Amino acid sequence: MIFQINMSFQSPMPSREFLWDIFRRVDKDRSGYISADELQQALSNGTWNPFNPETVRLMIGMFDKQNRGAISFEDFGALWKYVSDWQNCFKSFDRDNSGNIDRHELRNALTAFGYRLSDEVVNIMVQKFDRYGNGTILFDDFIQCCVTLYTLTSAFRQFDTDQDGVITIHYEQFLKMVFGLKCWP
């Protein structure tokens, strides 16, 4: 039976003992580290389906302090808080409580985060992160969408020294920028 982490978090961080119990259950091979495969099987996106493997890979990369391709117990605590914060954020923008984010809800979320994007770009983002072609984004895909946008924006800003939203770069600079990003497969 697959153990699904219940992502219904209360505001305070769970106890270290609670997190250790969860960590031990997820660490199926008893290595002392949780791999992307183990984490993917443990997390649920709200539909009781495993998390998107790309989102899990992205999160492992963000929290893997030792560059092992897996996270330690200490990394797991930070990841738990990160996912909890994203869940609260997701719920606040899922105005109709459908369990997913539509293009209007995504626009509201991105505007609240400080992005001013055209309808065309928001529509492209929905298409990119809508795994099932329903015109909506599930919780795990919402995390991936927002982290990808943030990472791309940060990379862009390194070249946008006058912060006017315009950069001029050579093709190889562009490739180095994109392929150097952790959000890229």
Side-chain angles (χ1 to χ4, degrees):
M1 180 172 159
I2 296 173
F3 177 75
Q4 298 286 326
I5 295 176
N6 180 353
M7 300 306 289
S8 300
F9 298 99
Q10 294 77 29
S11 292
M13 185 73 170
S15 71
R16 187 169 174 84
E17 294 78 24
F18 175 83
L19 287 176
W20 178 246
D21 182 53
I22 299 294
F23 182 88
R24 283 194 350 253
R25 289 194 220 175
V26 175
D27 181 18
K28 297 289 187 197
D29 65 1
R30 302 291 180 238
S31 65
Y33 292 88
I34 295 176
S35 69
D37 288 340
E38 289 170 327
L39 185 62
Q40 193 236 351
Q41 291 301 312
L43 292 173
S44 171
N45 65 9
T47 64
W48 293 104
N49 291 320
F51 255 48
N52 179 329
E54 285 302 311
T55 305
V56 173
R57 182 193 60 77
L58 180 65
M59 291 190 312
I60 290 285
M62 292 170 64
F63 289 92
D64 177 14
K65 303 290 187 251
Q66 300 169 343
N67 293 321
R68 296 177 57 114
I71 56 172
S72 68
F73 175 66
E74 286 71 28
D75 301 334
F76 179 71
L79 182 133
W80 183 277
K81 180 175 180 350
Y82 181 79
V83 173
S84 173
D85 290 346
W86 272 115
Q87 182 185 44
N88 292 331
C89 176
F90 180 85
K91 285 180 178 180
S92 74
F93 291 109
D94 179 16
R95 298 283 186 206
D96 61 0
N97 294 316
S98 62
N100 54 54
I101 298 285
D102 65 26
R103 71 186 74 258
H104 301 292
E105 292 166 330
L106 180 61
R107 168 171 289 298
N108 291 338
L110 297 176
T111 300
F113 299 157
Y115 295 100
R116 288 170 188 74
L117 303 172
S118 68
D119 288 339
E120 180 183 11
V121 171
V122 173
N123 289 338
I124 289 169
M125 291 175 72
V126 169
Q127 288 174 347
K128 170 73 176 158
F129 295 99
D130 173 14
R131 274 186 288 164
Y132 300 109
N134 299 328
T136 60
I137 300 174
L138 296 171
F139 170 57
D140 49 338
D141 299 318
F142 178 72
I143 294 172
Q144 185 181 0
C145 174
C146 294
V147 170
T148 300
L149 179 61
Y150 174 81
T151 304
L152 290 169
T153 300
S154 295
F156 182 90
R157 285 185 176 154
Q158 289 179 356
F159 291 95
D160 187 14
T161 55
D162 58 359
Q163 300 298 301
D164 67 352
V166 176
I167 63 174
T168 302
I169 59 175
H170 299 282
Y171 182 61
E172 284 199 14
Q173 286 176 301
F174 170 75
L175 291 176
K176 287 178 190 175
M177 178 178 74
V178 172
F179 289 129
L181 301 175
K182 280 196 172 193
C183 69
W184 195 256

